[in-house]
């Protein structure tokens, strides 16, 4: 600030006194592929709001990326890595959608880098070693990693785990104390990465990791900081920027000059969106060990879980489909057993003790429908029960009102002003205008007038559920954009594979994914 460094401790104390909040996150939309860095500031009253804008400018334009601040930066990277590594230890509902969305967006590396914790874990690990400053010890530790890569790449898993955890790696004892400490850190990081690697690619992946860590260690940290700062400058372009404000009109008018000055500091250059339409990145990683893989059904290996998770997701009606009655009817039919009414998949399955959070899902804003169940005692058992419960439901005129209520419940009217302002701004950025939403909902209300609506929805039910739930129909027509994703340990995934081979379309099988499949080396 004003050319002088401000310590993290002082910054934290000043933020507590001067503003309500300051944070930076990523905002993404899987439907449109939008990936943005969002810096938010908030204050109570005009003075705090002005200071929040000043702090936002400091965060964007004056980060302390000097080599003198490397200890704080390394500490932040280590904290981030620890948080990412523990993500799967949290409640399932807080993380299981993440890898499924990443798999669906695997042609979009910017999305994976910003929103996939499996991709980010590997990226932060690489950054950790890029920021190491081994000084005169770098060459000795790099040589140790080179020997380790050669000696460990052909070992079976049990021997490799013993080598990495037992302090018996070749050449470790010959290193000086400081070198040995750094080499032990490398062994620990390799050991923690083993859970992400299958036996089929164990040697290749360990060889890659040791070579990458060696290369990263030999990269001067000052060069890495310069590259990070160059990335920061490339992001700060007005061509891709937008702002949203929530506050009283008088306050917005008072803040307008400062907002204009804030925007004027951005580089007046165009922004080209990053979108790669090449081969799907995760499937390509899968094919490195299974060259003939043509995956439709995939399962993420999670060895520390007991139960299983299933998530299916298919394209459906969006607000832009305000003139497409068939798409609207299909969306409503897919929601017949949504919600938490007594007939719903959620209530029936929870009542039978076969899942925790579960049910038929759908969202007009995301343009997707699907089925979800977590903490299942056994995936095939839960899905068979759900299919039986869905098939036995009989038509009733009441269902027309029920699905309308579910669809119209997708609203942010009860949210805070700040959340609603940001949500509206995101909608506009994604091309979802208020007029579009109004026309879609008006079209639904026209459908509601049809006394035969419920019967029409039930006529579509089996065809739609046949594509949403594996095994509901032996000949489903999944179509483009469908994702059938499971998560669990070997026991759950093997049972799910057997279920698919016997109940889904001929030739169906499950392909197992691992954390390493989400890496972008």
């Amino acid at each position: 600030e004003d050319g002088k460094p401000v310590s993290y401790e002082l910054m934290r104390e000043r933020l507590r006194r001067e503003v309500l909040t300051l944070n930076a996150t990523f905002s993404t939309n899987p439907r449109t592929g939008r990936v943005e860095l969002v810096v938010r500031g908030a204050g109570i009253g005009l003075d705090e709001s002005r200071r929040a804008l000043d702090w936002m400018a400091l965060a964007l334009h004056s980060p302390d990326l000097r080599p003198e601040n490397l200890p704080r930066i390394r500490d932040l990277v280590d904290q981030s890595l620890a948080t990412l590594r523990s993500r799967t230890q949290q409640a399932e509902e807080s993380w299981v959608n993440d890898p499924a969305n990443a798999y669906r967006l695997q042609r979009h590396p910017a999305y994976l880098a910003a929103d996939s914790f499996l991709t980010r874990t590997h990226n932060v690990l690489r950054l950790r070693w890029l920021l190491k400053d081994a000084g005169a010890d770098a060459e000795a530790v790099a040589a140790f990693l080179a020997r380790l890569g050669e000696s460990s790449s052909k070992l079976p898993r049990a021997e490799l785990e013993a080598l990495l955890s037992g302090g018996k790696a070749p050449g470790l004892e010959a290193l000086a104390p400081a070198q040995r400490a750094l080499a032990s850190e490398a062994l620990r990081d390799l050991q923690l990465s083993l859970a992400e690697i299958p036996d089929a690619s164990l040697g290749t992946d360990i060889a890659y990791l040791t070579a990458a860590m060696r290369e990263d260690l030999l990269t001067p940290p000052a060069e890495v900081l310069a590259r990070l700062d160059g990335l920061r400058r490339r992001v700060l372009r007005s061509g891709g920027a937008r702002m949203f404000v929530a506050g009283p009109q008088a306050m917005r008018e008072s803040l307008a000059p400062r907002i204009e000055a804030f925007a004027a500091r951005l580089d007046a250059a165009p922004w080209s969106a990053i979108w790669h339409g090449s081969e799907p990145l995760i499937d390509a990683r899968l094919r490195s060990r299974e060259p003939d893989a043509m995956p439709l059904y995939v399962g993420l290996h999670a060895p520390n879980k007991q139960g299983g998770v299933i998530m299916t997701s298919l394209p459906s009606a969006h607000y832009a489909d305000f003139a497409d009655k068939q798409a609207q009817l299909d969306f409503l039919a897919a929601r017949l057993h949504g919600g938490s009414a007594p007939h719903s998949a959620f209530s029936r399955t929870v009542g039978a003790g076969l899942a925790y959070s579960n049910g038929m899902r759908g969202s007009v804003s995301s343009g997707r429908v699907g089925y979800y169940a977590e903490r299942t005692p056994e995936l095939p058992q839960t899905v068979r029960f759900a299919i039986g419960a869905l098939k036995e439901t009989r038509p009733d005129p009441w269902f027309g009102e029920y699905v309308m209520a579910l669809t119209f419940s997708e609203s942010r009217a009860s949210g805070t002003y700040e959340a609603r302002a940001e949500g509206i701004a995101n909608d506009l950025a994604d091309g979802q205008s208020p007029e579009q939403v109004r026309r879609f909902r008006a079209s639904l209300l026209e459908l509601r007038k049809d006394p035969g609506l419920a019967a029409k929805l039930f006529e579509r039910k089996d065809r739609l559920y046949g594509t949403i739930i594996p095994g509901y129909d032996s000949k489903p027509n999944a179509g483009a954009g469908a994702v059938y994703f499971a998560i669990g340990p070997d026991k759950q995934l093997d049972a799910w594979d057997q279920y698919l081979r016997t109940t889904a379309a001929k030739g169906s099988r499950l392909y197992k994914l691992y954390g390493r499949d989400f890496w972008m080396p």
Side-chain angles (χ1 to χ4, degrees):
E1 185 179 33
D2 297 326
K4 299 178 181 179
V6 179
S7 71
Y8 172 66
E9 291 77 13
L10 177 58
M11 185 190 86
R12 186 170 58 178
E13 173 61 22
R14 284 184 53 187
L15 287 173
R16 187 186 66 80
R17 289 187 285 105
E18 295 179 14
V19 300
L20 182 62
T21 58
L22 174 74
N23 59 53
T25 61
F26 286 107
S27 175
T28 63
N29 185 327
R31 182 180 63 82
T32 63
R34 174 174 55 81
V35 179
E36 295 174 313
L37 171 67
V38 181
V39 178
R40 299 178 190 82
I44 298 175
L46 182 59
D47 289 341
E48 277 197 18
S49 298
R50 286 172 175 160
R51 287 195 293 270
L53 266 171
D54 293 341
W55 275 108
M56 290 167 62
L58 284 169
L60 287 173
H61 297 285
S62 305
D64 191 353
L65 293 178
R66 300 171 305 134
E68 292 84 350
N69 199 36
L70 271 169
R72 166 61 191 155
I73 298 171
R74 292 192 189 105
D75 181 55
L76 177 62
V77 170
D78 287 346
Q79 289 180 41
S80 299
L81 184 57
T83 299
L84 289 165
R85 280 172 167 165
S86 65
R87 186 75 181 274
T88 59
Q89 299 172 19
Q90 300 172 11
E92 280 91 338
E93 58 267 29
S94 71
W95 66 268
V96 294
N97 287 296
D98 181 310
N101 285 335
Y103 186 76
R104 179 158 63 92
L105 272 291
Q106 60 179 299
R107 284 187 171 88
H108 196 337
Y111 181 89
L112 296 181
D115 220 47
S116 168
F117 74 88
L118 294 169
T119 305
R120 292 171 60 209
T121 300
H122 182 67
N123 290 348
V124 176
L125 174 63
R126 293 291 307 269
L127 184 58
R128 180 174 193 258
W129 285 91
L130 281 166
L131 292 171
K132 292 285 187 187
D133 189 1
D137 296 324
E139 290 292 342
V141 178
F144 166 80
L145 288 171
R147 292 192 298 271
L148 178 66
E150 294 173 1
S151 62
S152 63
S153 61
K154 296 182 180 179
L155 293 178
R157 183 176 294 272
E159 293 183 27
L160 182 57
E161 288 179 344
L163 177 72
L164 296 177
S165 62
K168 303 295 184 182
L172 182 63
E173 291 300 321
L175 296 174
Q179 298 167 358
R180 193 181 312 126
L182 192 56
S184 296
E185 280 191 57
L187 294 174
R188 175 64 172 165
D189 279 339
L190 290 168
Q191 182 189 7
L192 291 172
S193 296
L194 286 180
E196 301 181 78
I197 303 173
D199 290 342
S201 63
L202 184 59
T204 302
D205 289 339
I206 288 297
Y208 155 70
L209 282 173
T210 53
M213 292 165 69
R214 177 181 178 276
E215 179 183 332
D216 295 343
L217 184 63
L218 293 173
T219 304
E223 177 185 324
V224 179
L225 294 178
R227 286 160 57 187
L228 286 172
D229 198 50
L231 173 61
R232 177 190 63 82
R233 290 194 300 270
R234 291 199 302 276
V235 168
L236 300 184
R237 294 179 175 178
S238 61
R242 63 188 179 92
M243 299 179 72
F244 59 89
V245 181
Q249 179 67 26
M251 183 181 293
R252 294 202 299 273
E253 292 174 355
S254 297
L255 288 172
R258 198 170 291 236
I259 290 174
E260 292 295 335
F262 181 98
R265 293 188 65 183
L266 299 175
D267 183 11
W271 174 261
S272 298
I274 301 171
W275 185 279
H276 292 229
S278 57
E279 184 178 15
L281 297 174
I282 299 171
D283 284 350
R285 299 278 292 167
L286 167 65
R287 292 192 186 101
S288 68
R289 63 178 183 276
E290 295 199 48
D292 298 327
M294 298 292 291
L296 175 61
Y297 303 99
V298 294
L300 177 64
H301 185 245
N304 295 324
K305 284 181 57 63
Q306 294 295 320
V309 180
I310 178 174
M311 292 167 285
T312 69
S313 175
L314 290 85
S316 186
H318 176 257
Y319 288 117
D321 299 313
F322 50 79
D324 190 339
K325 293 293 186 183
Q326 299 306 312
Q328 294 168 23
L329 288 168
D330 279 353
F331 177 83
L332 294 174
R335 303 290 284 133
L336 280 168
H337 289 82
S340 57
H343 76 283
S344 67
F346 168 79
S347 295
R348 296 290 300 274
T349 308
V350 167
L354 294 177
Y356 185 62
S357 294
N358 77 94
M360 305 299 296
R361 304 192 296 183
S363 166
V364 183
S365 61
S366 68
R368 309 287 294 187
V369 294
Y371 171 69
Y372 172 90
E374 69 177 44
R375 304 181 205 182
T376 67
E378 186 184 71
L379 283 168
Q381 180 187 18
T382 298
V383 173
R384 285 192 178 98
F385 175 85
I387 289 172
L390 299 181
K391 285 187 174 182
E392 70 182 25
T393 308
R394 296 292 174 261
D396 188 291
W398 168 81
F399 280 105
E401 290 295 284
Y402 181 74
V403 295
M404 286 290 172
L406 287 180
T407 304
F408 275 81
S409 67
E410 190 176 335
S411 168
R412 61 174 66 96
S414 61
T416 64
Y417 287 117
E418 295 83 358
R420 290 164 67 186
E422 184 169 358
I424 292 168
N426 289 343
D427 286 348
L428 295 175
D430 294 323
Q432 183 176 303
S433 66
E435 175 63 14
Q436 191 182 77
V437 176
R438 186 195 67 78
R439 294 183 67 179
F440 183 89
R441 290 179 171 173
S443 185
L444 289 187
L445 292 176
E446 287 298 317
L447 289 176
R448 184 189 181 204
K449 298 176 182 178
D450 184 354
L453 175 61
K456 291 179 180 178
L457 299 182
F458 268 82
E459 290 173 1
R460 297 165 179 259
K461 183 192 77 167
D462 288 339
R463 172 178 59 81
L464 291 166
Y465 285 2
T467 63
I468 294 173
I469 306 179
Y472 191 101
D473 184 344
S474 61
K475 296 180 180 180
N477 181 18
V483 174
Y484 300 94
F485 203 91
I487 301 176
D490 283 323
K491 179 181 178 181
Q492 290 281 351
L493 297 183
D494 290 344
W496 187 237
D497 179 48
Q498 185 60 35
Y499 171 86
L500 294 171
R501 291 175 186 268
T502 56
T503 63
K506 184 178 180 181
S508 295
R509 58 158 291 192
L510 183 75
Y511 289 91
K512 290 184 182 179
L513 299 176
Y514 297 81
R516 59 86 66 191
D517 295 324
F518 294 76
W519 298 352
M520 293 192 293

